Structures are given as structure tokens and as C-alpha cells.
């Protein structure tokens, strides 16, 4: 079955900055093929990766879903306190994840936050289920319980012109727009 061939790898990242309440969570997708993959609203070139995360007020461009902020900032500014788990994706799982990303409301609130967003994406394609808890330290603890890798910075380093925020609220009528320098000029969590 062609759907069973591994074509991508997904990782769930959790970072805690001010234990136990301040942190950030995101999903990272790596394209293992020589073809472009659709990851939500982003077209992922061959052998590259993309991070996708939901931000509140910590990005200068406002609340919403961003593509490649975490990948860029962790590579350029460094990243401490990270824990990640990884799973391989076949074509059908990648399509399922992409559709879920595309349909997710471009909205943040204290309960439907970055943890809920990233953990929901992960749970849609992984057999290792995690519970989206409001407190970042609890999310990070779950990843550790699943054998999470500490301080994994093995993410593709995008150029600033590969970093986007999602504009629009619901459905597929959203579009990617470039971020301002202020959204990527400091480490995640500051």
C-alpha cells in the first residue's frame, strides 16, 4: 500500500521557561521525500522541515498560528529546556495532519492555547497520546514519560522569508503572510 510508505516525520516539542507555568509547545514536520509536501497552509520543500505553533502576545505580529517561528528562533537564538518526541508519518497520516492544521481555528485563548494546539495535532497522527494540559510543565512531563529527547535542536533552519503567520480566522480561507522582524528577533519564550 502506497499510503504506508514513510514520507515525513513529526515531532512534538515542549519547552518550559519559567517553571511550571510559562512555556511553549509546537509541532515540527520534516519532509523526507524529494517532493513538496502540504503541511496545513505551508508548502514544505523536499528535505526541509517546518515548525507550526500557536502564539498569544509573544509574537509582534499578534495572536495566531505561525509557521517556522520556532525553527528559526531555536536555530538562530538557541533553545533550552526543550523536550521532544517523534513519530514517522505515512502519506495518509501526513494528509490527515495537514488537513487538521488547515482547518484549525486561527485563535488563541487561555484554554485553547499552544499546548492544546500542538497536542491535538500530535494526537491526530500518533498512537502515543498526550493530554493537553494548561500548565506547560505537565505537558513537558508527559513527553518525558514517552521517552522524550532533551534539548533537541535538530530542526531545519529556515531563512527569515520562510517564516509566516496565518491571516484569517476559520476554514481554508486563511493565508500565510510574512512576519515582521520583531516576531523572530529573540528566543522563544522571551
Amino acid at each position: 500500500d502506497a499510503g504506508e510508505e514513510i514520507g515525513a516525520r513529526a515531532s512534538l516539542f515542549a519547552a518550559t521557561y519559567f517553571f511550571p507555568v510559562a512555556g511553549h509547545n509546537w509541532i515540527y514536520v520534516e519532509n523526507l521525500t524529494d517532493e513538496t509536501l502540504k503541511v496545513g497552509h505551508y508548502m514544505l520543500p523536499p528535505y526541509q522541515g517546518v515548525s507550526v505553533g500557536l502564539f498569544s502576545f509573544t509574537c509582534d505580529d499578534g495572536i495566531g498560528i505561525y509557521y517556522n517561528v520556532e525553527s528559526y528562533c531555536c536555530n538562530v537564538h538557541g533553545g533550552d529546556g526543550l523536550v521532544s518526541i517523534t513519530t514517522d508519518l505515512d502519506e495518509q497520516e501526513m494528509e490527515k495532519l495537514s488537513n487538521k492544521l488547515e482547518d484549525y481555528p486561527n485563535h488563541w485563548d487561555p484554554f485553547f492555547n499552544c499546548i492544546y494546539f500542538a497536542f491535538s495535532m500530535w494526537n491526530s497522527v500518533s498512537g502515543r497520546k498526550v493530554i493537553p494540559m494548561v500548565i506547560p510543565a505537565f505537558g513537558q512531563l508527559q513527553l518525558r514519560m514517552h521517552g522524550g529527547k532533551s534539548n533537541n535542536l535538530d530542526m531545519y533552519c529556515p531563512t527569515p522569508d520562510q517564516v509566516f503567520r496565518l491571516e484569517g480566522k476559520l476554514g481554508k480561507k486563511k493565508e500565510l503572510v510574512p512576519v515582521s522582524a520583531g516576531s523572530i528577533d529573540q528566543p522563544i519564550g522571551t
Side-chain angles (χ1 to χ4, degrees), residues 3-37:
E4 293 178 8
E5 186 174 328
I6 302 305
R9 184 173 294 130
S11 297
L12 174 62
F13 278 83
T16 303
Y17 305 107
F18 299 106
F19 185 84
V21 295
H24 184 60
N25 297 267
W26 66 91
I27 196 94
Y28 175 78
V29 178
E30 183 181 359
N31 183 351
L32 304 175
T33 73
D34 58 3
E35 297 178 14
T36 299
L37 287 180

Side-chain angles (χ1 to χ4, degrees), residues 107-152:
H107 168 77
W108 178 95
D109 69 44
F111 295 102
F112 295 98
N113 55 20
C114 66
I115 298 169
Y116 187 86
F117 169 79
F119 283 33
S120 296
M121 295 303 131
W122 175 262
N123 287 340
S124 73
V125 293
S126 175
R128 293 181 289 170
K129 302 298 183 206
V130 288
I131 301 166
M133 303 202 168
V134 175
I135 305 211
F138 294 153
Q140 196 174 56
L141 176 63
Q142 288 183 79
L143 271 59
R144 288 191 190 286
M145 291 169 54
H146 282 291
K149 234 172 124 177
S150 293
N151 292 323
N152 175 23

Side-chain angles (χ1 to χ4, degrees), residues 8-172:
R9 184 173 294 130
S11 297
L12 174 62
F13 278 83
T16 303
Y17 305 107
F18 299 106
F19 185 84
V21 295
H24 184 60
N25 297 267
W26 66 91
I27 196 94
Y28 175 78
V29 178
E30 183 181 359
N31 183 351
L32 304 175
T33 73
D34 58 3
E35 297 178 14
T36 299
L37 287 180
K38 190 171 190 310
V39 180
H41 290 83
Y42 186 83
M43 297 308 290
L44 180 59
Y47 307 110
Q48 292 186 16
V50 61
S51 61
V52 189
L54 179 63
F55 285 88
S56 60
F57 302 101
T58 56
C59 277
D60 280 7
D61 294 296
I63 292 171
I65 297 171
Y66 286 75
Y67 287 76
N68 272 331
V69 165
E70 299 89 352
S71 296
Y72 181 87
C73 289
C74 285
N75 274 290
V76 172
H77 305 295
D80 292 324
L82 302 178
V83 176
S84 64
I85 55 177
T86 302
T87 190
D88 290 334
L89 303 177
D90 65 26
E91 185 179 330
Q92 292 166 341
E93 291 164 330
M94 187 59 238
E95 185 176 342
K96 183 177 182 180
L97 177 62
S98 182
N99 289 338
K100 188 162 180 72
L101 283 166
E102 197 169 47
D103 291 336
Y104 197 89
N106 192 21
H107 168 77
W108 178 95
D109 69 44
F111 295 102
F112 295 98
N113 55 20
C114 66
I115 298 169
Y116 187 86
F117 169 79
F119 283 33
S120 296
M121 295 303 131
W122 175 262
N123 287 340
S124 73
V125 293
S126 175
R128 293 181 289 170
K129 302 298 183 206
V130 288
I131 301 166
M133 303 202 168
V134 175
I135 305 211
F138 294 153
Q140 196 174 56
L141 176 63
Q142 288 183 79
L143 271 59
R144 288 191 190 286
M145 291 169 54
H146 282 291
K149 234 172 124 177
S150 293
N151 292 323
N152 175 23
L153 289 177
D154 188 21
M155 289 184 280
Y156 172 77
C157 185
T159 58
D161 66 341
Q162 289 178 297
V163 184
F164 300 94
R165 72 177 174 84
L166 198 56
E167 190 172 86
K169 294 291 180 200
L170 296 171
K172 296 178 180 9

